[in-house]
Amino acid sequence: MSEAAEPEASLLVVVLDTNTAAWERCPLQFDRALQQVVIFLNAYLALKPENKLAVIATNKSECRYLYPTEFTDETTIPEMQVYEQFRDVDTKVLTGVQKMIESGSMSSDTPAGIEQGQSQVSRALSKALCYINRGTKASVNKIWPRILVVSVADDAPREYIALMNTIFAAQKLGVLIDVCKVVGSDSVFLQQAAEITGGNYLKVDTQENRGSLLQSLMFTCLADHFTRSMLYSPHNDLIDFRATCFCHKRVVDIGYVCSVCLSIFCKMAPVCSTCKTKFSFKLVRAPSAANGTSAGKKKPPVN
Amino acid sequence: MGSEGAFKSTIAEYLEDLPAQFCQQLFTKPAACLAIFRLLSTLGKHIIMSMLYLDAPIELTDVLQWAKPGKTKSFKSKIHRLRKLRILVENSGKVSLDPMFRQELRNALTGGGDFGSFGIPATTRDLRITEAWLEKYANEKWEAILHFMVGQNAEMPQPSDSVLHILKMSRLMERREGDMRITNSGFQFLLQDVSSQVWTVLLQYLRLAEDQNMDVVEVLNFLFQLVGLQLGIAYRTDRFSQSQRKMLSELKDFGLMYQQGDVFYPTQLVTSLTSAMNAEHTSNNGQVSTTEMSADGYVILETNCRVYAYTSSPLQIAILNLFVHLVSRFPNFVTGVITRDSIRRALSNGITADQIVTYMTVYAHPHMRNQMPVLPITVTDQIRLWENERNRLKPTASYFYKDFHQRQDFERVYKYAEDLGAILWCNIEKRQIVVTPAAHVVIMQYVRGHRKPEQRG
């Protein structure tokens, strides 16, 4: 047999966006979508008994682990027709989401800068990376980590810096990030996340076909590292790699970059708001007094 | 590695050989579908999962387009396997999953379908029976059987009759001079990992069930249901049929489960069957992936062929003794040397060099695993050379032609046989040829056909 060695187990962290405001805009109802995600989780666990799973839910004000959790519901007698491992995950995810929505509707303390239809994806991703780091270190055998983001909310410009940092951390750790955007416009940030880490970005058009979320997840996001090396993946050429400026959170084509900390600004500023460096205008202006524009150096276009 | 033939038949191959209507009956249980699914290769699983929620059949050529160039061949072979298992149905160039299989695998994932297909948990259970206890219980039971096979059963009770029967039927042991003795395939069996050993026994159990005119599908369904159970949970037996209870009591003797009244607890021997080792890849070659490394390695092998084994288990010592010349024994540790004689003894017992190397790799001490490759190459090469040494003579059935009267006759036959590629040996001066049995018939016809015109002439 010329086949490569059988692949090792995977560690999948699913980041589930439970932002109710965003789901309301979605033609696919949230509970239906949740059912499909749960089936996908079961399918993932069915692939290999050693496969590890974690589910993190996020909304506009918080993010928490749904699975694994310490909480066990001792009162329920195990259902008879469900595979034990699936039942455990299913109940924890479903009750966890329910609790989160209940507590979310009561409290209204949203962090500044996050709007109604936006979620704290970067927080959830950082949590996921921490979990993966712990999981891969603790495991004796090699385990392949990856993250799946099921996203509905719009990009929150406030999150840009944190999100980019997590993406590069994931790239360094060798963690793939798959993104499944269910509703709304393409997420520029998450597209970059998938592209940089080598994952798949997938926009599911739920309007046309109601079952297509599950089918897309099964087809694109279920494959492990080994299978991905043998299959074509949906590729996206039109990815917006433009950066967002740190001062007004606007997407910029050409901006100003701090020469010390590489923060990006859309307008010239005397002091870098990130590292508090005072730019010495005289020094810069002296050789290039003729054009007299840039405070720092111009950001080269990124491809 | 022809001597491994006895173990080549894995559960997947067994399923492929089942008649179509049996497969259909098998697919009616979600537990069976899930277990079969888990036995497939990763790529096969991916193909199934991609098609699981497609309602319409898709073009086979489209499916092949999923693969990257250069990978199409292994993709095709996987699709062929799935078709042999009757999971994939092809109809005029379009493929889809078997409707029953698709339905029941969906049920397995969503929790629909039959009542109690994954076992009926008992409401009361003995709190003393923990997962650790079950693990210990199962290991003791299983090792007792292996001990018995190695012939170190002085203080061990003899296994039950059904166990003995299966060992005998599978030719792992045979009755010689009134005693049960281990056979060559028995030695090979010992060197396998536990999960392949359990599969070997279960396959044998299936064949036995066929001979006893039991319903194979029922046996298979029962086995797959057991595989889907959860370690550490008590299950009820009161809904089992008569034959299922009989199977339960027979499999109990192997330590696959622990029974207490009308409640039973599956052990890790059965619950971990679909994990770690892929049944499709059982003993295909000497390569061991890191996942198969057992956590409790104990063997250290040095470049000078010395073996140090940190173990006090009589079974492990007995297995090492199959191919190591043991020198000294301490309370927690034995030392020995791999010599030409010790390896040749093992080889003459039917053990292959690859099996020896695999065994020592799997059970390598954690300190050994830091090096790559795990075992010193000098020693593994030497073991393989010693094996090749024995293979200098190879018996082949053949036909010997001699005493050709005329030189032309000889040359004609010689040329004809050479064209067929059937010559095993020849001596042109003495006009002697040795040919394969398959070619003998053809050559005889040729010779007869040519003799007649000569006789006329």
Side-chain angles (χ1 to χ4, degrees):
Chain A
M1 285 198 173
S2 60
E3 210 168 273
E6 267 298 286
E8 291 92 0
S10 313
L11 167 65
L12 175 69
V13 183
V14 177
V15 174
L16 187 62
D17 193 344
T18 61
N19 190 317
T20 40
W23 275 108
E24 272 167 19
R25 285 182 279 133
C26 177
L28 181 71
Q29 278 171 358
F30 183 43
D31 55 343
R32 297 279 303 273
L34 197 59
Q35 274 171 13
Q36 297 186 7
V37 170
V38 163
I39 294 176
F40 170 77
L41 297 181
N42 288 347
Y44 167 75
L45 291 173
L47 285 181
K48 261 178 182 285
E50 301 92 341
N51 276 354
K52 296 271 183 301
L53 177 72
V55 184
I56 300 172
T58 176
N59 62 15
K60 64 181 193 301
S61 54
E62 60 170 337
C63 85
R64 56 163 83 150
Y65 283 109
L66 300 184
Y67 180 87
T69 47
E70 301 302 314
F71 148 80
T72 42
D73 205 353
E74 289 291 345
T75 50
T76 52
I77 301 165
E79 277 177 75
M80 281 116 200
Q81 70 263 41
V82 190
Y83 189 53
E84 179 60 27
Q85 204 183 358
F86 298 167
R87 194 190 56 81
D88 188 37
V89 176
D90 299 357
T91 47
K92 277 181 181 164
V93 169
L94 292 175
T95 51
V97 168
Q98 202 179 356
K99 279 189 179 169
M100 196 154 164
I101 290 173
E102 280 165 10
S103 69
S105 59
M106 283 191 283
S107 67
S108 55
D109 51 330
T110 314
I114 303 279
E115 286 166 29
Q116 205 38 246
Q118 299 172 342
S119 294
Q120 298 190 321
V121 181
S122 65
R123 239 173 100 178
L125 278 179
S126 326
K127 256 193 179 175
L129 285 178
C130 292
Y131 186 86
I132 285 173
N133 193 37
R134 198 150 28 108
T136 44
K137 290 245 167 77
S139 154
V140 185
N141 296 322
K142 176 115 184 85
I143 192 158
W144 288 98
R146 63 183 204 266
I147 298 176
L148 167 67
V149 185
V150 179
S151 162
V152 280
D154 298 331
D155 286 340
R158 177 58 65 98
E159 288 224 295
Y160 177 72
I161 304 169
L163 197 58
M164 274 327 228
N165 285 338
T166 51
I167 292 170
F168 287 121
Q171 186 192 26
K172 209 167 177 182
L173 281 173
V175 179
L176 292 186
I177 301 181
D178 286 331
V179 178
C180 183
K181 186 85 167 70
V182 181
V183 69
S185 52
D186 275 328
S187 159
V188 178
F189 297 167
L190 292 177
Q191 263 181 339
Q192 295 188 23
E195 182 66 25
I196 291 169
T197 57
N200 295 326
Y201 177 85
L202 188 71
K203 177 135 193 311
V204 180
D205 200 352
T206 42
Q207 227 127 24
E208 282 174 16
N209 185 354
R210 301 218 149 214
S212 72
L213 171 62
L214 179 58
Q215 177 57 31
S216 318
L217 285 175
M218 290 280 218
F219 192 76
T220 327
C221 303
L222 196 61
D224 59 11
H225 284 66
F226 173 75
T227 321
R228 279 176 202 226
S229 67
M230 308 185 73
L231 298 172
Y232 277 117
S233 50
H235 195 71
N236 201 341
D237 296 327
L238 307 165
I239 292 175
D240 191 352
F241 274 113
R242 284 180 304 171
T244 305
C245 75
F246 288 23
C247 46
H248 302 90
K249 317 293 175 197
R250 275 190 292 219
V251 177
V252 287
D253 285 319
I254 296 176
Y256 298 89
V257 178
C258 168
S259 50
V260 178
C261 69
L262 301 178
S263 302
I264 303 158
F265 302 102
C266 60
K267 282 193 181 139
M268 197 169 74
V271 178
C272 170
S273 63
T274 315
C275 65
K276 310 293 178 218
T277 306
K278 285 182 186 141
F279 299 126
S280 162
F281 288 90
K282 276 176 202 162
L283 250 169
V284 181
R285 283 225 173 117
S288 60
N291 34 36
T293 43
S294 58
K297 59 185 178 209
K298 275 199 177 170
K299 183 180 162 54
V302 191
N303 286 314
Chain B
M1 289 191 289
S3 53
E4 277 189 26
F7 293 120
K8 283 265 167 158
S9 50
T10 59
I11 182 77
E13 284 169 27
Y14 182 85
L15 290 174
E16 279 174 19
D17 291 340
L18 275 185
Q21 74 265 26
F22 280 16
C23 275
Q24 285 294 328
Q25 286 174 24
L26 209 54
F27 291 162
T28 56
K29 291 274 187 282
C33 289
L34 188 66
I36 294 172
F37 173 76
R38 281 194 163 171
L39 290 173
L40 299 170
S41 66
T42 318
L43 201 54
K45 288 175 190 168
H46 181 76
I47 297 172
I48 292 183
M49 277 303 180
S50 302
M51 296 173 68
L52 185 62
Y53 281 90
L54 283 179
D55 291 318
I58 52 172
E59 297 278 349
L60 183 60
T61 45
D62 286 353
V63 178
L64 292 176
Q65 300 259 306
W66 297 347
K68 282 188 180 165
K71 307 285 183 188
T72 343
K73 208 175 149 201
S74 64
F75 215 72
K76 267 185 186 158
S77 77
K78 286 286 143 28
I79 289 177
H80 181 68
R81 271 204 101 106
L82 290 181
R83 277 171 53 193
K84 267 177 95 179
L85 286 168
R86 294 180 190 79
I87 292 173
L88 217 56
V89 188
E90 190 181 346
N91 197 354
S92 61
K94 293 190 170 193
V95 285
S96 61
L97 292 184
D98 181 87
M100 186 60 96
F101 182 82
R102 185 174 61 201
Q103 184 59 40
E104 292 306 324
L105 188 60
R106 282 186 190 181
N107 275 342
L109 294 186
T110 55
D114 271 356
F115 178 77
S117 50
F118 286 98
I120 303 169
T123 41
T124 55
R125 56 163 301 158
D126 194 336
L127 290 173
R128 284 171 298 169
I129 297 172
T130 57
E131 287 182 24
W133 187 89
L134 281 171
E135 211 170 307
K136 194 163 153 274
Y137 167 83
N139 283 340
E140 276 172 10
K141 273 267 184 190
W142 192 253
E143 280 185 12
I145 295 171
L146 299 184
H147 269 287
F148 174 74
M149 287 181 63
V150 200
Q152 293 221 335
N153 57 336
E155 73 276 27
M156 292 271 178
Q158 194 166 352
S160 71
D161 285 345
S162 64
V163 174
L164 287 183
H165 190 57
I166 285 184
L167 289 180
K168 207 161 69 185
M169 287 297 294
S170 52
R171 294 206 199 81
L172 296 177
M173 298 188 83
E174 61 191 11
R175 198 168 280 284
R176 239 183 284 150
E177 300 145 19
D179 275 348
M180 290 285 276
R181 290 286 173 82
I182 188 164
T183 62
N184 287 353
S185 48
F187 280 121
Q188 297 182 29
F189 176 81
L190 285 180
L191 292 183
Q192 290 181 320
D193 60 314
V194 177
S195 132
S196 335
Q197 287 174 345
V198 176
W199 272 124
T200 310
V201 166
L202 288 182
L203 275 174
Q204 197 51 47
Y205 186 78
L206 276 171
R207 297 213 176 89
L208 209 65
E210 271 175 56
D211 294 345
Q212 290 172 353
N213 288 328
M214 280 162 80
D215 186 358
V216 180
V217 174
E218 194 184 355
V219 180
L220 270 174
N221 267 333
F222 185 68
L223 285 184
F224 286 139
Q225 187 183 344
L226 290 181
V227 169
L229 298 182
Q230 195 75 12
L231 180 64
I233 288 182
Y235 291 92
R236 274 153 65 184
T237 58
D238 50 356
R239 275 170 199 265
F240 281 173
S241 69
Q242 198 61 40
S243 52
Q244 279 175 327
R245 270 174 218 214
K246 181 167 166 280
M247 285 185 257
L248 197 67
S249 67
E250 281 170 348
L251 294 175
K252 195 179 66 185
D253 296 331
F254 286 97
L256 298 187
M257 67 273 297
Y258 176 74
Q259 198 175 3
Q260 200 180 45
D262 56 356
V263 168
F264 75 96
Y265 303 78
T267 67
Q268 84 282 2
L269 285 183
V270 68
T271 53
S272 64
L273 267 185
T274 47
S275 63
M277 265 305 281
N278 212 326
E280 238 182 83
H281 295 263
T282 316
S283 68
N284 51 3
N285 48 33
Q287 287 174 351
V288 189
S289 75
T290 43
T291 44
E292 288 166 34
M293 297 260 192
S294 85
D296 45 325
Y298 64 96
V299 179
I300 292 181
L301 175 64
E302 288 185 341
T303 45
N304 55 8
C305 293
R306 283 182 184 277
V307 177
Y308 304 93
Y310 287 88
T311 178
S312 52
S313 147
L315 174 68
Q316 286 174 336
I317 295 172
I319 291 178
L320 277 182
N321 196 26
L322 292 176
F323 58 86
V324 178
H325 175 68
L326 294 180
V327 178
S328 48
R329 185 166 172 178
F330 302 93
N332 64 338
F333 156 77
V334 287
T335 65
V337 196
I338 288 184
T339 62
R340 182 166 174 271
D341 287 339
S342 74
I343 293 293
R344 281 175 68 89
R345 192 181 65 224
L347 295 171
S348 64
N349 278 331
I351 300 171
T352 65
D354 278 327
Q355 285 173 330
I356 295 173
V357 172
T358 310
Y359 182 84
M360 285 198 288
T361 316
V362 171
Y363 290 101
H365 193 275
H367 281 296
M368 298 274 293
R369 290 182 195 162
N370 298 330
Q371 45 197 25
M372 198 60 213
V374 178
L375 300 179
I377 305 174
T378 46
V379 184
T380 51
D381 279 356
Q382 187 59 63
I383 293 175
R384 295 216 167 86
L385 284 174
W386 281 327
E387 183 184 43
N388 285 342
E389 212 172 60
R390 290 185 75 243
N391 294 344
R392 280 182 296 195
L393 282 183
K394 193 170 78 178
T396 314
S398 55
Y399 282 86
F400 181 42
Y401 301 157
K402 58 171 186 171
D403 299 337
F404 287 91
H405 288 305
Q406 291 177 357
R407 192 177 169 76
Q408 290 129 308
D409 282 351
F410 171 76
E411 274 171 3
R412 209 162 41 222
V413 174
Y414 174 76
K415 193 162 183 322
Y416 185 70
E418 196 179 27
D419 289 346
L420 287 175
I423 295 181
L424 293 171
W425 177 87
C426 73
N427 185 339
I428 296 176
E429 282 82 49
K430 290 183 178 170
R431 295 181 190 165
Q432 290 170 338
I433 317 179
V434 175
V435 297
T436 56
H440 170 67
V441 187
V442 191
I443 295 174
M444 280 315 285
Q445 276 172 355
Y446 175 79
V447 170
R448 283 201 195 101
H450 278 269
R451 212 178 267 159
K452 274 172 193 163
E454 277 171 27
Q455 281 166 351
R456 270 186 222 130

